[in-house]
Amino acid sequence: MAMSDARPTAHAGAHREGNPHDPSIASGPPMPAGQQPNRYAQSLSTPGSFSVTWELVPGRGAREPAQEQALSNALEAARGGRIHALTITDNPSGRPALSPTMLGIEIRALGIEPLVHLTCKDKNRAQLESELYALARAGVRNILALSGDYPVEGHQGRPRPVFDLDSVHLLQLIGSLNNGLPVEGPKGVAPLQPTQFFAGAAVSPFKREEAEVLTQYYKLKKKIEAGARFVVTQVGYDARKFHELLLLVREQGWNVPLIGNVYVLTYPAARLMNANEVPGCVVPDSLLRQVAAERQAPDKGREARLLRAAKMVAILKGMGYDGVHIGGHGLKYNDVEFILAKGEELAANWEALLPEFDHPQPGGFYLYQRDPETGLNLPQRAPLGRPQRAPGSYRVLRFLHRWFFTPKRGFFGVMQATARAVDGSRLEGTFDFLEHLTKSVTNDCQHCGDCALFDVAYLCPMSQCAKSQRNGPCGGSHEGWCEVYPGKRKCVYVRAYERLKAYGEQETLAAYTVPPPDWSLYHTSSWLNYFLGRDHTARRLGIRPPAQPPAPSGEGVRHGVAEPQAGRPQAQS
């Protein structure tokens, strides 16, 4: 990612300039006959349009008041005609709720587009693929691809998290389905019928630490490269941060619509977000005090919070965003209509509202220099902090990698020859045991066999990230700390950024997408898999497996994609 100081070359905010985004974001593969156009996709590609989504939370249960209220809200929204799509959360805050797929199907039948949140926390890659087939069959096309909140509550205790894929991988899967996924069948490999998904991603610019901010944007780059067709922000109330993201998208030439998150902030929600009880949502102390004062009014602050939301809509539209994502506990359709109408009324003088959304985090990092006239940002980058000296353990691992694991250097040839001799021999078990023992001590190795240490500055994302994220941080970190272990464990990508920054290499975290682990290699030697061309790093570096006889027809195909053989006989069952 060339995170340079280049001037903007592309425009988010088509509604301001009259320049539509690339029409391909809304077209995709040809539509089956009789299928209605995707109104949500059209709202993000039509000049002059300002897209509006409203978030519904299904709640726990099947026919409880929460589900009936969600459907009642959906019916009002469908009749009102102002909302382009209704977004449906997927087990928000890590707690069980009605499936967004099921509710999305019901909402679509009411005549309005659903935008289903699809998260990786509770489903492996096979189940995610199955869920996408169900959505495609039901004609639900809009997807917000997310890693998801860490599971915290379930039947008889806390559920086991899955996180087999991350949001980047999920977007790749959706792209493969849209292109017609090749699948092995009785007559060889053939593509499935293309799907029509319109998938987007989320990003959080509302981070305090430099490492958190930059790694969020590195991962955003991967999401866009993986096929994200729109981007929604996390919850935050700092106008300068909203503007920062807009400048970055323009600077990088990413032709992707931006949606600003407008959360109608009650005092209970503000208090939880301020205490970091809602991962990724940022309410600084200054705003919490303001909301606390507002609730002393006879209406408990209702008018003030709706007006705040309307002002955010005005600012985002004036700033150049392509739409808004409205959410909040207990909102009714009339509230949303008020927010939108008042926002339109205030939009002409949006810059005058900016001082009300000056809520920086103490010591917070901004990617761009501050504009003293507007309080927003100049297009010039702000200086980065001074690099810190890398820890000694990291320097040792870099030395070992250079001399033993870098192709065509040092002892790589000796190591590869040793791997060939050990592979399949009686020494393989001992070799694997010693490797795992060594890496357990130095890297808390999980023995997945498809090692990502090379990708994350020799920090294991499978053991040191609670969500096993292989392509960058989730959105839940707070002040550099892990969402799941606040105050105890630093986010692994904050640590990786600081290590790499000591050598000026921090942008390597954005250089390529790390695939999900291949679990057929689980509990095998990652060193043998690397030197013998079996794992993802070997494939990326062009390390080929030893020559072997051609595979019988049908072998070497996994999920419709031909892959190299493992280099030794596989157990038959």
Side-chain angles (χ1 to χ4, degrees):
M1 179 180 187
M3 300 282 283
S4 65
D5 290 306
R7 293 281 181 170
T9 57
H11 292 276
H15 66 275
R16 292 192 68 204
E17 304 294 336
N19 297 326
H21 291 285
D22 184 345
S24 66
I25 67 166
S27 59
M31 272 189 190
Q35 189 171 10
Q36 294 296 316
N38 187 337
R39 185 168 179 244
Y40 179 57
Q42 289 180 336
S43 74
L44 290 171
S45 61
T46 303
S49 176
F50 188 69
S51 183
V52 178
T53 58
W54 178 20
E55 182 175 281
L56 303 180
V57 180
R60 195 167 188 172
R63 298 188 180 277
E64 305 298 325
Q67 293 84 50
E68 302 311 317
Q69 184 62 58
L71 286 171
S72 174
N73 289 342
L75 184 59
E76 284 195 76
R79 290 170 174 169
R82 185 67 182 84
I83 309 295
H84 295 104
L86 293 169
T87 77
I88 311 167
T89 58
D90 183 4
N91 290 359
S93 298
R95 293 176 169 82
L98 177 67
S99 161
T101 296
M102 187 66 245
L103 190 58
I105 292 170
E106 292 189 55
I107 284 174
R108 184 175 183 274
L110 297 176
I112 190 168
E113 290 281 351
L115 170 55
V116 170
H117 295 199
L118 187 59
T119 67
C120 305
K121 63 180 181 292
D122 302 315
K123 305 176 185 71
N124 68 11
R125 66 193 78 181
Q127 183 59 32
L128 287 166
E129 188 176 325
S130 298
E131 194 83 358
L132 287 163
Y133 293 145
L135 288 164
R137 188 167 180 83
V140 177
R141 297 162 289 185
N142 304 305
I143 304 288
L144 185 60
L146 304 164
S147 293
D149 298 330
Y150 196 83
V152 299
E153 183 180 318
H155 178 61
Q156 296 192 27
R158 190 173 198 164
R160 181 177 182 176
V162 180
F163 296 110
D164 183 33
L165 302 184
D166 62 29
S167 53
V168 178
H169 303 140
L170 180 55
L171 286 162
Q172 290 179 323
L173 171 59
I174 292 169
S176 295
L177 295 179
N178 279 351
N179 291 326
L181 183 71
V183 173
E184 177 75 14
K187 297 182 180 181
V189 177
L192 300 177
Q193 292 187 29
T195 55
Q196 307 290 327
F197 291 118
F198 183 69
V203 67
S204 180
F206 306 104
K207 298 297 182 184
R208 192 183 79 171
E209 306 291 326
E210 174 191 318
E212 287 182 290
V213 173
L214 269 298
T215 52
Q216 277 288 314
Y217 294 153
Y218 294 162
K219 190 173 185 180
L220 176 60
K221 172 182 178 284
K222 295 184 182 184
K223 291 176 182 179
I224 293 170
E225 290 173 346
R229 289 159 134 176
F230 60 92
V231 174
V232 183
T233 71
Q234 249 296 8
V235 173
Y237 297 87
D238 184 350
R240 190 177 167 197
K241 277 292 183 180
F242 278 113
H243 189 240
E244 173 181 286
L245 176 61
L246 186 68
L247 283 186
L248 176 70
V249 168
R250 291 175 174 176
E251 174 195 278
Q252 298 298 315
W254 295 334
N255 200 21
V256 59
L258 284 182
I259 314 299
N261 201 322
V262 177
Y263 190 87
V264 181
L265 195 61
T266 62
Y267 178 73
R271 186 173 57 186
L272 288 172
M273 292 178 187
N274 176 260
N276 193 35
E277 295 294 326
V278 185
C281 300
V282 179
V283 172
D285 293 344
S286 59
L287 181 56
L288 179 64
R289 289 191 295 269
Q290 185 177 327
V291 175
E294 292 168 356
R295 72 175 180 143
Q296 304 304 317
D299 67 352
K300 305 298 184 184
R302 181 177 181 275
E303 182 180 356
R305 59 179 172 264
L306 292 178
L307 184 58
R308 178 182 298 107
K311 290 175 180 178
M312 289 184 70
V313 170
I315 288 172
L316 290 166
K317 186 171 185 179
M319 194 180 286
Y321 273 67
D322 298 275
V324 289
H325 172 104
I326 298 175
H329 179 71
L331 281 185
K332 301 292 191 290
Y333 181 70
N334 287 342
D335 297 330
V336 178
E337 286 276 21
F338 170 82
I339 291 168
L340 294 173
K342 193 67 175 178
E344 289 283 349
E345 177 187 325
L346 297 171
N349 297 310
W350 66 274
E351 290 176 300
L353 304 173
L354 291 174
E356 298 183 43
F357 295 88
D358 183 17
H359 293 294
Q361 298 182 72
F365 172 80
Y366 290 86
L367 186 59
Y368 298 96
Q369 297 177 33
R370 186 176 184 276
D371 184 342
E373 292 185 11
T374 66
L376 296 177
N377 301 286
L378 297 169
Q380 290 79 32
R381 289 292 186 93
L384 301 180
R386 184 176 180 179
Q388 298 179 356
R389 181 173 170 81
S393 59
Y394 177 58
R395 297 198 302 272
V396 170
L397 289 170
R398 286 178 66 96
F399 174 83
L400 293 174
H401 178 82
R402 184 183 308 115
W403 288 101
F404 291 90
F405 292 89
T406 303
K408 300 179 181 179
R409 291 193 64 176
F411 298 97
F412 179 86
V414 174
M415 292 295 292
Q416 191 170 48
T418 301
R420 289 172 178 166
V422 168
D423 188 48
S425 74
R426 289 182 297 177
L427 294 174
E428 182 176 345
T430 303
F431 185 90
D432 182 35
F433 172 78
L434 292 174
E435 177 202 334
H436 181 52
L437 179 63
T438 301
K439 289 168 64 178
S440 294
V441 172
T442 59
N443 305 99
D444 194 16
C445 176
Q446 296 296 292
H447 210 186
C448 71
D450 194 2
C451 190
L453 287 176
F454 295 165
D455 307 307
V456 194
Y458 308 112
L459 295 167
C460 176
M462 308 302 291
S463 65
Q464 296 174 53
C465 173
K467 298 182 181 180
S468 303
Q469 300 291 288
R470 289 164 78 95
N471 281 292
C474 72
S477 68
H478 179 67
E479 297 181 355
W481 297 100
C482 172
E483 167 192 329
V484 184
Y485 304 103
K488 297 178 181 179
R489 183 187 293 182
K490 281 285 186 180
C491 170
V492 68
Y493 283 95
V494 168
R495 296 170 61 201
Y497 178 91
E498 297 296 350
R499 286 184 170 198
L500 291 163
K501 184 181 175 184
Y503 295 87
E505 298 173 358
Q506 64 269 27
E507 291 192 3
T508 59
L509 291 171
Y512 56 89
T513 295
V514 182
D518 179 352
W519 291 108
S520 69
L521 301 176
Y522 185 54
H523 277 200
T524 63
S525 167
S526 65
W527 288 349
L528 294 185
N529 295 333
Y530 171 69
F531 286 112
L532 300 179
R534 297 171 187 154
D535 72 358
H536 75 275
T537 302
R539 290 194 290 273
R540 178 172 62 83
L541 298 178
I543 300 171
R544 296 181 176 276
Q548 55 187 303
S553 176
E555 292 189 17
V557 175
R558 186 180 297 111
H559 293 292
V561 180
E563 297 194 2
Q565 297 298 297
R568 61 169 181 254
Q570 300 295 307
Q572 301 295 315
S573 60

